[in-house]
């Protein structure tokens, strides 16, 4: 069975500071993609960052970067220079290369404090 | 990135009526679309996988006669909530996978359904 665990239901960070959101997952497969999605108050789901499991190099998108530890099945998201617009629910997710179903975590609600 | 349009964004209906929600991939072909339900402050719950030209695959516990899904073309999937009741009130989100983008999932803006 495939599972995704986000152990931090809520987090807060001061504007301009750095915050890390945790995610662990479980699968017996070796080929998959990992994602972080953001859902702001508008409730539109937005892709933040994507990582191919076969790549050792951590993905980076501007202020967003991940720490991918395949052996530990860990996929944390680091947000640098936090901005008020980063306030949102963040969901960790993955999909197997062999399938088309996305598995989502329960989400972490992030609040950026001015 | 790819765009998925979902309509309507908000609907109120009387108990017993049916509501149709449309999900369109605007700039790519989506052989597979997904329908999710989301309760306040919770994660997305997959309801069904919509496959173009074939019957949808429903998750366990989802009533296929209550939630009718049609995926008649490569760019359009519809979810019809039949004989809606107050307990069907929820936020419904569709998504489509862009295979060209290797597993990226793009979401519609969601539909808030309120059944009176």
């Amino acid at each position: 069975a495939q599972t995704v665990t986000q152990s931090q239901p809520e987090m807060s960070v001061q504007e301009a500071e750095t915050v890390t959101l945790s995610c662990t997952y479980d699968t017996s497969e070796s080929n998959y993609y990992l994602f972080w999605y953001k859902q702001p108050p508008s409730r539109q789901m937005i892709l933040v960052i994507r990582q191919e499991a076969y790549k050792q190099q951590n993905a980076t998108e501007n202020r967003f970067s991940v720490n991918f530890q395949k052996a530990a099945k860990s996929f944390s998201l680091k947000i640098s220079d936090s901005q008020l617009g980063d306030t949102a629910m963040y969901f960790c997710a993955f999909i197997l290369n062999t399938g088309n179903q996305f598995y989502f975590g329960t989400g972490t609600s992030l609040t950026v404090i001015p | 990135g790819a765009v998925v349009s979902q309509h309507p964004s908000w609907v109120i209906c009387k108990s017993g009526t049916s509501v149709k929600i449309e999900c369109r991939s605007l700039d790519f072909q989506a052989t597979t679309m997904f329908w999710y339900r989301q309760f306040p402050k919770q994660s997305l719950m997959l309801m069904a996988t919509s496959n173009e030209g074939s019957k949808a695959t429903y998750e366990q516990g989802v009533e296929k006669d209550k939630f009718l899904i049609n995926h008649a073309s490569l760019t359009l999937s519809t979810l019809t909530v039949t004989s809606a009741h107050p307990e069907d009130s929820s936020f419904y989100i569709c998504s489509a996978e862009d295979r060209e983008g290797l597993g990226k999932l793009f979401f519609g803006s969601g539909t808030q359904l309120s059944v009176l």
Side-chain angles (χ1 to χ4, degrees), chain A residues 10 33 35 37 39 42-47 50 52 89 91 95 97 99-102 104-107, chain B residues 32 34 36 38 41-44 46 49 51 59 91 93 97 99 101-105 107-109 112:
Chain A
E10 295 182 358
Y33 296 96
F35 306 84
Y37 282 90
Q39 188 179 39
S42 67
R43 294 194 289 185
Q44 171 73 59
M45 295 284 284
I46 301 166
L47 177 65
R50 171 175 172 266
E52 291 93 337
M89 182 75 81
F91 292 100
I95 181 173
N97 281 25
N100 63 3
Q101 181 176 349
F102 279 74
F104 286 92
T106 51
Chain B
T32 304
F34 305 88
Y36 295 87
Q38 186 180 30
K41 297 186 179 182
Q42 293 190 22
S43 188
L44 283 70
L46 180 65
T49 301
N51 301 294
E59 294 301 301
F91 189 64
I93 309 176
E97 185 182 10
R99 278 293 181 185
L102 296 178
K104 288 185 181 179
L105 191 66
F107 289 85
S109 53
Q112 178 63 52

Side-chain angles (χ1 to χ4, degrees), chain B residues 17-54:
Chain B
T17 61
S18 295
V19 175
K20 180 184 283 188
I21 303 170
E22 290 189 350
C23 181
R24 294 180 184 272
S25 57
L26 297 185
D27 51 1
F28 67 100
Q29 293 184 335
T31 55
T32 304
M33 290 186 175
F34 305 88
W35 288 95
Y36 295 87
R37 185 172 180 175
Q38 186 180 30
F39 292 103
K41 297 186 179 182
Q42 293 190 22
S43 188
L44 283 70
M45 181 185 75
L46 180 65
M47 298 175 63
T49 301
S50 169
N51 301 294
E52 187 267 336
S54 64

Side-chain angles (χ1 to χ4, degrees), chain A residues 21-90:
Chain A
L21 280 58
S22 301
C23 173
T24 58
Y25 59 94
D26 191 24
T27 179
S28 58
E29 302 290 329
S30 58
N31 296 315
Y32 46 88
Y33 296 96
L34 293 154
F35 306 84
W36 279 96
Y37 282 90
K38 165 185 176 181
Q39 188 179 39
S42 67
R43 294 194 289 185
Q44 171 73 59
M45 295 284 284
I46 301 166
L47 177 65
V48 175
I49 200 165
R50 171 175 172 266
Q51 171 85 42
E52 291 93 337
Y54 66 87
K55 287 187 176 180
Q56 292 186 335
Q57 185 174 6
N58 290 322
T60 300
E61 287 287 343
N62 301 313
R63 298 182 295 107
F64 299 89
S65 61
V66 298
N67 183 2
F68 174 45
Q69 302 290 330
K70 190 171 185 179
K73 296 180 182 175
S74 171
F75 185 60
S76 61
L77 174 69
K78 185 172 82 171
I79 305 174
S80 304
D81 185 25
S82 297
Q83 300 176 359
L84 297 179
D86 295 334
T87 292
M89 182 75 81
Y90 287 81

Side-chain angles (χ1 to χ4, degrees), chain B:
Chain B
V3 177
V4 175
S5 173
Q6 185 173 343
H7 179 80
S9 57
W10 181 62
V11 59
I12 301 175
C13 67
K14 292 182 179 180
S15 184
T17 61
S18 295
V19 175
K20 180 184 283 188
I21 303 170
E22 290 189 350
C23 181
R24 294 180 184 272
S25 57
L26 297 185
D27 51 1
F28 67 100
Q29 293 184 335
T31 55
T32 304
M33 290 186 175
F34 305 88
W35 288 95
Y36 295 87
R37 185 172 180 175
Q38 186 180 30
F39 292 103
K41 297 186 179 182
Q42 293 190 22
S43 188
L44 283 70
M45 181 185 75
L46 180 65
M47 298 175 63
T49 301
S50 169
N51 301 294
E52 187 267 336
S54 64
K55 291 183 178 180
T57 303
Y58 290 82
E59 294 301 301
Q60 190 173 7
V62 178
E63 300 176 58
K64 57 184 67 177
D65 294 331
K66 159 69 82 174
F67 300 100
L68 299 179
I69 291 173
N70 183 275
H71 193 160
S73 76
L74 287 172
T75 59
L76 174 64
S77 176
T78 60
L79 168 67
T80 301
V81 184
T82 62
S83 186
H85 288 92
E87 58 266 28
D88 299 324
S89 298
S90 189
F91 189 64
Y92 294 87
I93 309 176
C94 73
S95 67
E97 185 182 10
D98 180 3
R99 278 293 181 185
E100 295 293 329
L102 296 178
K104 288 185 181 179
L105 191 66
F106 295 95
F107 289 85
S109 53
T111 298
Q112 178 63 52
L113 171 64
S114 297
V115 184
L116 304 177

